Every structure is written in C-alpha cells, then in structure tokens.
Amino acid sequence: MIKFDNIQKSFGIGTPDEMQLFNGFNLEVSEGEFVSIVGSNGSGKTTLLNILCGSMLIEGGRLLLDGADITKLSEHERAKYLGRVFQDPQKGTCSDLTILENMALADNKNKKFGLGAAINKKRIDHYKELLEPCQMGLENRLGTLVGTLSGGQRQALALIISNMADIRLLVLDEHTAALDPKSSELVMELTTRFVKEHSITTLMVTHNLRYAVDHGSRLLMLDKGLIVLDRKGKEKEQTTVESVLHIFNEISIESGN
C-alpha cells in the first residue's frame, strides 16, 4: 500500500544548524492497517506525515503508493488520494461556510465544477446520515456556520468530510490534541468506528500513549528518525501503556532529557 523507500530528509542544509533526520528511512504500511505513531518532539512523527502528504520535500528516496512512485507529485495532486485531519480544528474546515456548504465542497472533491448549483439538495439526507453517528446533533444544524462550532464538533466534521471522496489513505495529525478530555474521547471513538467501517488505511500521530495502545492495529515509536518500536497483531494487543512508557522513558534518559 504505502512504502517509504530509503528516505533522506535534512533540515537547515548548508547552515551551521544542518541536521539530518531521516537517513535511509524505510517503512511499509499494508492496506487496511491503522498505524498509531508515537515519539518525543523531534522524533520525526509529523515530518513523516508531511512527507507523505507532499507538504515537505525529501532529498532522496522514494514514496510509493500501491507500487506507483508518487515522490514528485505535489501536495495538491496527492490530496486526490488522501484525507488529512490536523491538530488545529480550524484547518480542516471552512469557518465562514455552513456545515452543509462544507460537506457539499467535500462531496465535489475530485469532480469537475460546472455552472450548476454547488449544493445538491438531493444529497442533504445523505449528509445527515453521515453526521448522525457523531452523536452531536450536527445533522440538525446543517445551516450553522462551522466557525461557531466547538473544537470537538469541528474535528468530528473534519473526520467525516475527509472521507467523503474516494480516498485511499487517512492521515491524522494529533487530531485530538487540542480538544478537551470529553471531546477527545468522543472523537477518538468516532475515529476507530469510522476507520473500521470504511476499512481505510490510516496513519495517526498522537502524544497520547493510551490512544496509541488502545486504538489501531499497529503501533510505531520513532526516535531521532528511527523506528525503535514496531508492534502489530497479537503483540500489539498485548502491549500496555506502562510498557510503552517504559521504553519512552529509557530513550529520554539515554538522550539526556
């Protein structure tokens, strides 16, 4: 499905602060896997997502999607194949548009725009069906401006509209980090149900070790651009928060943190 092949990525090239993060980094993610990615600041978690989404260029290596080389595709071109939910609830939706207008825009992703109406009223019942599982009453507030919604409501909406088009991959960039505990739990439960129902390949970066352990089918820990922990299947199921925290703390001690 997704293959990071010998990825090379540095920062501050040509300056005294030049630093190489990925040096021959390799990772393969199978179709349908839900991968949780953890690690300390600077470990490479978000950089990995940015490389995948095309918002960050690499100096060497290849990125493959189903065997096809997408390394040189722009961020815009890759958006046809993937959906992304950001940490900031304001980034995944348009504040000045209503819930209905946001969903209509998402519904037309990858389609040609003509001179017809942007909103197909025949799709409204479908939009309500998509929103109902959120259990937030959004299906009854289609005319509400998205900018007036809470962070949790906006993230739930962003999650729904991210997969309204026929995408191949879902990218979650600490999508619960900016939410209050109750909203965070609700959005995480919605995420797991959403991923299972759609059988969509998912990469989720999170600082919440419990979410990483309790959700998903595979757990990765990065440190300084290296994969230091990779568990899936029964090994992942038997993993505890305490065991992951122990490894995390050992790495921190070795790094002098």
Side-chain angles (χ1 to χ4, degrees), residues 28-194:
E28 291 191 43
V29 178
S30 301
E31 186 169 0
E33 277 193 315
F34 181 176
V35 185
S36 298
I37 306 173
V38 299
S40 60
N41 292 332
S43 62
K45 306 183 304 300
T46 298
T47 298
L48 190 68
L49 297 191
N50 286 333
I51 290 172
L52 175 59
C53 295
S55 53
M56 188 171 286
L57 300 177
I58 56 176
E59 291 82 56
R62 300 183 304 162
L63 183 64
L64 306 176
L65 174 64
D66 289 334
D69 192 337
I70 64 170
T71 310
K72 295 184 179 180
L73 291 185
S74 66
E75 184 175 11
H76 173 72
E77 291 172 314
R78 296 187 201 187
K80 298 177 182 179
Y81 309 107
L82 60 86
R84 186 173 187 177
V85 182
F86 297 87
Q87 176 179 342
D88 185 350
Q90 298 185 39
K91 287 187 175 181
T93 49
C94 298
S95 299
D96 295 332
L97 299 180
T98 65
I99 294 175
L100 177 59
E101 290 167 338
N102 270 268
M103 297 188 78
L105 282 175
D107 206 11
N108 284 288
K109 180 179 178 180
N110 299 335
K111 298 178 183 178
K112 292 183 178 180
F113 284 86
L115 297 177
I119 298 175
N120 183 350
K121 293 184 178 180
K122 294 181 180 179
R123 298 284 286 171
I124 289 179
D125 287 340
H126 175 62
Y127 298 159
K128 289 182 177 180
E129 290 176 3
L130 292 176
L131 293 169
E132 192 171 356
C134 297
Q135 300 178 0
M136 294 178 175
L138 297 178
E139 67 275 12
N140 300 317
R141 301 177 60 188
L142 292 181
T144 300
L145 288 176
V146 169
T148 65
L149 301 178
S150 69
Q153 290 170 330
R154 290 189 69 159
Q155 287 298 67
L157 177 60
L159 187 63
I160 295 299
I161 67 177
S162 68
N163 195 44
M164 286 182 65
D166 186 21
I167 60 172
R168 306 294 311 281
L169 181 68
L170 178 63
V171 177
L172 306 172
D173 190 358
E174 298 186 49
H175 70 310
T176 64
L179 307 180
D180 62 78
K182 183 177 180 180
S183 296
S184 181
E185 291 287 341
L186 186 57
V187 169
M188 198 62 241
E189 290 174 7
L190 180 64
T191 299
T192 296
R193 184 167 71 246
F194 181 83

